[in-house]
Structure formats: C-alpha cells, structure tokens
C-alpha cells in the first residue's frame, strides 16, 4: 500500500489492461463512441431536492443499498480502466452525494493513477469546504457544484432539508482556493420555484471565474412529479439573461459537449445551458453510467441496467470485461430525449440518485 492506501500491485493490473487490449473506440448503433463514464459512488444523499429525491418517497422507510452491495474502490477502478481501454476519456464521480462515501479521496487517488484520465466530480457542496483540499491533493482535477438559488428561502424549498446557501458558497470558495478550477455551478431551473433566481445567479457568478450552467428540469425517475409546464426552456433562460447582460454564443469545444456555451459580451466570463428537454442532444451522447451497485446504464432514462458487479465478483478476466462492455455498447440505440412524449414520461425509469446524475 502507498500513502493513500493504493495497492502497489494495482498499477501493474492497469498497465496490463492498457498494453494488452487493442486501443480504439467502440461505437454504438448510431456511431457514438463511449467517452464519458459517470460513476455513482453512493445512492444516499443528505439533501432531498424536490426534483430528485422527494421526501415523500425517500423518507425514513426508504431502503438504500447496503455497504456490501456497493462497488468497492478496486472494482470501480478496474471498470474505469476497462472503459479507458475502450476509448473512455473522462470519469465523473457522482451519486447521490459522492462526498458522503467514506474515504472518497482514496478512490480519487486510485483513479488518478490511470494515465490521461480526465477526473471530475459533481457535488451538492455541503461537505466541500472541509474536503476540497484533500480531493485536490488526491488528484481530482475539477469540480461541479450544484446550487439552485442564492436566496435561502428558495434554496431551502428546493433542497428540502433546510440547508443554507452560505455553506455551499463556502464550499465553492474552498474548491476554487484548492485549484479545482474552473468550478462549474449547476442550477436546475424549475418554473415557479427558482426561475426568479436566474438573473441573481447570473449577476452573482458573472466575473467570478466560475461557469454557471442552467439545466432544464428533467423527467428522470418516476418520483418527482415532472410536468412539461415546469420546464423553463434554455432559449428563454438565455433570452432573460441577454436582455440585461448581453451574451454571444461560443463554439463547442468538443464533440459530445452537452452544454451550449454563451459568453458575456463584456468579457466577464461565460455560462452554459443544458437543454435536455427542449433541444435534445442524444445524437452526440457519449455517456455511460455506472450505478453504485455496479449496473451499467447506457441512458439516463433507462429502465434496465447490465450487471457488471456480477461479472467482477464472478471472477471475469479483463478480456471478458472488455467483451461484455463492448457488446453492451455496440447495440446501444438510446435517444430518449429525442422521442420524449407524454406517454414516455410515465415509463418505469431508474432514479437519478441511484444511477448517478
Ligand atoms: N448530489 C450531487 C449534486 O446534487 O450535485 C450529485 C448528484 S445529482 C443527481 C447530479 C446533478 O443532477 C445535480 O446538478 C442535480 O441538480 C441534477 N439533477 C437532479 N435531478 C434533476 C432533474 N430532475 N432535472 C435536471 N437535473 C437534475
Ligand atoms: Fe441529492 Fe444531488 Fe439529488 Fe439533490 S440533486 S437530492 S443533492 S443527489
Ligand atoms: Fe444520452 Fe439518453 Fe440523455 Fe439522450 S436521453 S442525451 S441518449 S442520456
């Protein structure tokens, strides 16, 4: 074991995977490569955001995964290395709330040992002020922090556990000070709840060096009571900001970039809008998701996952893992957001806190 608890033999295992497997991308039925892996490290959360884990469903009686059901750090890194061998470039740790997972910095240090991997994390920021330096030291490169409003009454109505804005802002400041930059801020916009916070958020983060991203409220899972009327279209968000703070579009940096980027004309930074509902981007979707218990999902709106934990714990070789993931990705045809209708909204989809946002 080294200082951070990484088994020394692990690197040898990864090197074997990198040198023995043919490097090259796999593509799905729509020609999309698998570039990003989102890993949910826990299905638990200390918030009960109304659009994600409504209290009425995720209450005291709700059964979360047992510890033994969660993928171990070694299992996560082995799968991440396999994805990398198949053309994966980026891993984002998420959840639930990833900073609730015990010894997360050790996992980050292990993943940081995969050469060339872009390593990021999405958090609600509640535990970030204390953890940011250790995350950076372990090898985390950047961070995304969710924050839905600057007004405590609005924010607390959304997180539904009475959590205060100031503590998230402290987390954002700590992340920036630790060098987890540029910090991205995710704001889910729900009409009638926090759309009045669009302009205050834009004003506040303009010129800060942080990148504010507005996310259209989505019909993930089956519990958030989503209605199309609650969605504020990305075009409306941009229009509202542009009316006060003039914007101009920025070219996409890479294929598969989901946020449409806009910069302030006066040079005071940029924003992003993620229009998953009103302007679907499935044709560029290069994302796979790994649930906390090791099921692979090829779409955020999937109903079924593929049990990779069973393969890992059944003693599958690296070659067998590569074959299994290749077969799953090759037949992928997901394009939910392009075919969303009033009927699909009611389908039996997995919850976002489980699959990883
Ligand atoms: N707990 C962490 C957090 O909130 O940042 C990570 C997990 S959370 C599921 C990941 C992202 O998904 C967050 O930015 C959250 O706001 C977003 N999200 C959750 N439910 C959503 C919904 N119904 N529509 C759009 N975005 C949603
Ligand atoms: Fe928790 Fe994140 Fe879902 Fe909010 S969005 S309930 S913080 S997992
Ligand atoms: Fe990707 Fe599915 Fe979202 Fe389309 S709906 S962008 S395929 S995750």
């Amino acid at each position: 074991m080294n200082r951070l608890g990484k088994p020394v033999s692990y690197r040898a295992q990864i090197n074997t995977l990198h040198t023995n497997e043919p490097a090259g991308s796999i593509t799905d039925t729509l020609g999309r490569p698998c570039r990003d892996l989102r890993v949910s490290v826990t299905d638990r959360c200390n918030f009960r955001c109304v659009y994600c884990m409504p209290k009425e469903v995720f209450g005291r009686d709700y059964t979360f995964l047992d510890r033994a059901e969660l993928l171990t750090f070694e299992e996560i890194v082995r799968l991440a290395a396999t994805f990398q061998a198949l053309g994966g470039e980026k891993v984002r740790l998420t959840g639930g709330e990833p900073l609730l997972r015990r010894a997360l910095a050790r996992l980050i240090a292990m993943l940081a040992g995969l050469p060339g991997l872009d390593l990021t994390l999405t958090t609600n920021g509640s535990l970030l002020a204390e953890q940011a330096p250790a995350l950076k030291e372990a090898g985390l490169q950047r961070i995304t922090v969710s924050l839905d409003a600057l007004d405590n009454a609005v924010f607390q109505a959304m997180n539904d556990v009475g959590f205060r804005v100031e503590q998230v802002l402290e987390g954002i400041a700590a992340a920036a000070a630790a060098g987890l930059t540029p910090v991205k801020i995710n704001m889910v916009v729900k009409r009638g709840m926090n759309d009045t916070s669009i302009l205050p958020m834009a004003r506040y983060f303009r010129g800060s060096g942080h990148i504010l991203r507005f996310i259209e409220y989505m019909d993930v899972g089956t519990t958030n009571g989503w209605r199309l009327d609650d969605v504020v279209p990305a075009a409306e968000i941009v229009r509202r900001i542009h009316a006060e703070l003039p914007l101009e579009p920025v070219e996409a940096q890479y294929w598969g970039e989901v946020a449409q980027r806009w910069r302030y004309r006066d040079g005071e930074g940029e924003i992003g809008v993620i229009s998953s509902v009103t302007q679907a981007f499935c044709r560029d979707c290069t994302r796979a998701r790994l649930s906390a218990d090791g099921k692979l999902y090829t779409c955020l709106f999937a109903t079924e996952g593929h049990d990779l934990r069973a393969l890992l714990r059944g003693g599958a070789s690296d070659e067998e893992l590569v074959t299994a993931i290749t077969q799953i990705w090759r037949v992928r045809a997901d394009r939910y957001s392009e075919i969303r209708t009033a009927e699909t909204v009611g389908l039996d989809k997995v919850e976002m806190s489980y699959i990883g946002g």
Side-chain angles (χ1 to χ4, degrees), residues 7-178:
V8 174
S9 61
Y10 200 78
R11 184 176 284 278
Q13 190 186 348
I14 291 163
N15 284 344
T16 309
L17 196 55
H18 275 272
T19 49
N20 287 356
E21 292 306 330
S25 296
I26 44 172
T27 48
D28 68 8
T29 61
L30 300 174
R32 300 169 296 189
C34 182
R35 293 272 184 259
D36 317 84
L37 180 64
R38 305 199 146 209
V39 181
S40 171
V41 294
T42 176
D43 59 338
R44 290 166 201 260
C45 188
N46 53 348
F47 283 15
R48 286 294 176 271
C49 301
V50 291
Y51 50 73
C52 178
M53 295 180 80
K55 241 181 195 164
E56 310 76 62
V57 178
F58 294 87
R60 281 180 192 283
D61 308 337
Y62 189 83
T63 314
F64 290 98
L65 295 169
D66 281 339
R67 197 171 168 72
E69 293 179 275
L70 302 182
L71 287 185
T72 65
F73 291 172
E74 286 71 18
E75 288 169 336
I76 291 173
V77 182
R78 190 158 172 230
L79 290 177
T82 310
F83 269 90
Q84 223 189 352
L86 292 170
E89 295 171 350
K90 182 169 168 181
V91 166
R92 175 175 298 275
L93 299 180
T94 178
E97 174 45 41
L99 301 193
L100 289 178
R101 177 83 187 245
R102 202 184 313 154
L104 186 75
R106 190 168 75 82
L107 171 63
I108 290 172
M110 290 165 71
L111 287 168
L114 296 176
L117 188 71
D118 187 18
L119 187 56
T120 62
L121 179 148
T122 304
T123 172
N124 63 23
S126 59
L127 302 168
L128 190 54
E130 62 220 57
Q131 292 192 27
L135 298 176
K136 175 68 183 180
E137 201 197 328
L140 189 68
Q141 291 160 8
R142 280 167 287 105
I143 205 158
T144 300
V145 184
S146 302
L147 179 64
D148 296 328
L150 290 169
D151 177 278
N152 267 312
V154 178
F155 184 49
Q156 290 174 348
M158 290 191 88
N159 67 54
D160 217 10
V161 292
F163 205 84
R164 293 184 63 80
V165 171
E166 293 76 11
Q167 280 172 270
V168 181
L169 293 178
E170 264 176 46
I172 292 170

Side-chain angles (χ1 to χ4, degrees), residues 32 276 281-283 285-287 289 298-301 332 334-338 340:
R32 300 169 296 189
S276 4
F281 39 77
C282 299
R283 69 178 181 282
C285 179
T286 57
R287 292 177 173 180
R289 289 180 160 83
T298 56
C299 178
L300 182 53
F301 299 89
R332 175 182 187 246
D334 304 286
R335 44 192 284 273
Y336 177 86
S337 287
E338 290 180 351
R340 179 186 282 109

Side-chain angles (χ1 to χ4, degrees), residues 191 216 228 231-239 273 275 278-279:
R191 196 183 291 283
E216 288 179 352
L228 186 57
V231 178
V232 181
E236 180 182 332
I237 295 172
V238 170
R239 219 171 27 244
V273 283
S275 56
T278 61
Q279 288 164 274

